[in-house]
Amino acid sequence: MLNKFTKTFLLILLFIGLSINASFAQKIYKTDLKEDVGPNSWRVIKNSYKQARLEKADYFLIEMNTFGGAVNFADSIRTLLLNANMKTIVFVNNNAASAGTLISLASDYIYMHNGASLGAASVVNQQGEIMPEKYQSYMRGLMRATAEAKGRDSKMAEAFVDPNVSLPKWKEDGQVLTFTALEAVKANLAKAQVKDMNEIFTDLSISLPQVTTHELTFVDRIIGFLINPMISGLLIMGIIGGIYFELQTPGIGFALVLALLCATLFFAPLYLQGLADHWEIALFVIGVLLLVLEIFVIPGFGIAGVLGIVFVLCGLAFSMLANDFLDFKISKPGLLVNSFLIVVSAMIFSVALLVIFGKNIMRSSVFKRLVLEDEQTAESGYTSSVPKVNLLNKHGLAKTVLRPSGKIEIDGVWYDAVALDGFIDVGEQIYVEKHENYNLFVRKLEDKPLV
């Protein structure tokens, strides 16, 4: 049995040992970049770095496996790494192509997994075709500046973009530079080829690493799900369908709530990701208002209707990609066309579904639960508070546009009426052809048949 003095001495030694370990331990905050570089990956990296600073981490480590992405978001991540107040590490496992190369060059240390590759950073469109010189020039400048900031070979960085840069030791003329893990180490670009993160810590002489892995929140996962182009297309269909049913059955409320909910789910995550701006959302709202005015207020279909459709299309499409007030150079080439294709396709598909299934939906049992269907007919003993039998064949004047419903005036009294012709303009003369329940049904006087 240990005596009291020995126990106390051992406890003191244990406390000293723990204190020494704590003082020598180094904190590593790890996050992943394993998708296309875009709004979602930028948001995750930004939140990860913010948390790393709160935890006073010594190293910020990005485990990367990406084939590239949008230049503007890659530049945002690059800038974050260049200005970081802690050491930064990129562990390439297994790809760091295009935008991934730019981000890697901005880190303090690059480590590559066995079989990994890095390079091929020319700017291409969605079909993989090389974009014009102005895009390549901008990317070359970013690559050179990033390499210079971290003491790396700027010519080598430029060769990742420009096939005309001559590096006989590493590539043939006319080809952009791409490194394997071993080649990157030999070129002094990567620090070492490793199998896992433990070998990284050994190489950096981090004997007591405390690794914290960034966990995605529920909100992160929801936002990532909602900004998926397929989900965006479905939400656009919900917006169009909700507006259509609201106009077909005014006053029921449910269709309007559906349209507003889909619009919120469409715009909110894009706004949080820094894609949708206030003016793009306003453009969409103005477009919807113009369409409503065209349908209910302005006769015919003219400039308001056309502008409404254009504004709605542009508001939805522009919100899906980064731009500086109609300057789309900062976005990945080809995304503007893709954005419009998604919006137009969703609209066409929703209109087709409404034409085919619209009437069946409105007659369905689920839809009927949402609206009042009971009619108060004369056969059931209901009568109008204002008898209108004596108004048959009476002449009057349209006091508002009838499209098809509106207000008419007969003998100085205003009545609700429905145009059997579909549209009657303000001031046109009408006559009453029939009445049902509370409504008078009228036609233009010039259409009255001669007896």
Side-chain angles (χ1 to χ4, degrees), residues 276-353:
D277 206 346
H278 296 94
W279 69 271
E280 293 163 330
I281 299 173
L283 196 66
F284 169 78
V285 173
I286 292 170
V288 173
L289 292 177
L290 285 173
L291 288 174
V292 171
L293 288 173
E294 184 70 25
I295 293 171
F296 291 108
V297 179
I298 305 172
F301 190 82
I303 189 169
V306 173
L307 284 177
I309 293 173
V310 171
F311 282 10
V312 167
L313 280 171
C314 292
L316 292 170
F318 292 164
S319 297
M320 296 176 69
L321 71 162
N323 67 92
D324 184 11
F325 200 72
L326 301 180
D327 180 2
F328 298 98
K329 291 196 297 291
I330 62 174
S331 185
K332 189 174 181 179
L335 286 184
L336 179 60
V337 174
N338 281 8
S339 180
F340 270 103
L341 284 176
I342 291 171
V343 175
V344 173
S345 300
M347 285 186 168
I348 292 173
F349 194 60
S350 61
V351 169
L353 289 178

Side-chain angles (χ1 to χ4, degrees), residues 176-197:
V176 293
L177 179 63
T178 300
F179 277 141
T180 65
L182 284 176
E183 288 171 341
V185 173
K186 291 178 181 178
N188 294 320
L189 190 70
K191 195 167 188 303
Q193 178 180 264
V194 296
K195 294 180 180 179
D196 53 37
M197 288 191 300

Side-chain angles (χ1 to χ4, degrees), residues 120-165:
S122 297
V123 183
V124 297
N125 59 19
Q126 293 293 297
Q127 290 72 43
E129 299 167 342
I130 299 294
M131 294 299 293
E133 171 58 22
K134 66 176 181 179
Y135 294 97
Q136 311 306 330
S137 176
Y138 178 72
M139 191 65 173
R140 286 198 301 269
L142 276 180
M143 298 290 281
R144 285 198 309 271
T146 306
E148 290 172 359
K150 290 298 180 179
R152 296 188 170 103
D153 189 334
S154 61
K155 185 177 181 181
M156 190 177 292
E158 190 173 1
F160 286 124
V161 180
D162 192 346
N164 295 319
V165 175

Side-chain angles (χ1 to χ4, degrees), residues 164-177:
N164 295 319
V165 175
S166 181
L167 289 175
K169 184 178 179 181
W170 303 113
K171 73 177 186 70
E172 296 180 8
D173 290 344
Q175 296 181 354
V176 293
L177 179 63

Side-chain angles (χ1 to χ4, degrees), residues 64 164 184 223 248 409:
M64 179 184 294
N164 295 319
I223 290 176
Q248 289 294 309
E409 182 183 15

Side-chain angles (χ1 to χ4, degrees), residues 87 146 149 262 282 331 405 431 443:
K87 292 293 183 180
T146 306
C262 289
S331 185
S405 61
Y431 75 97
R443 291 188 189 275

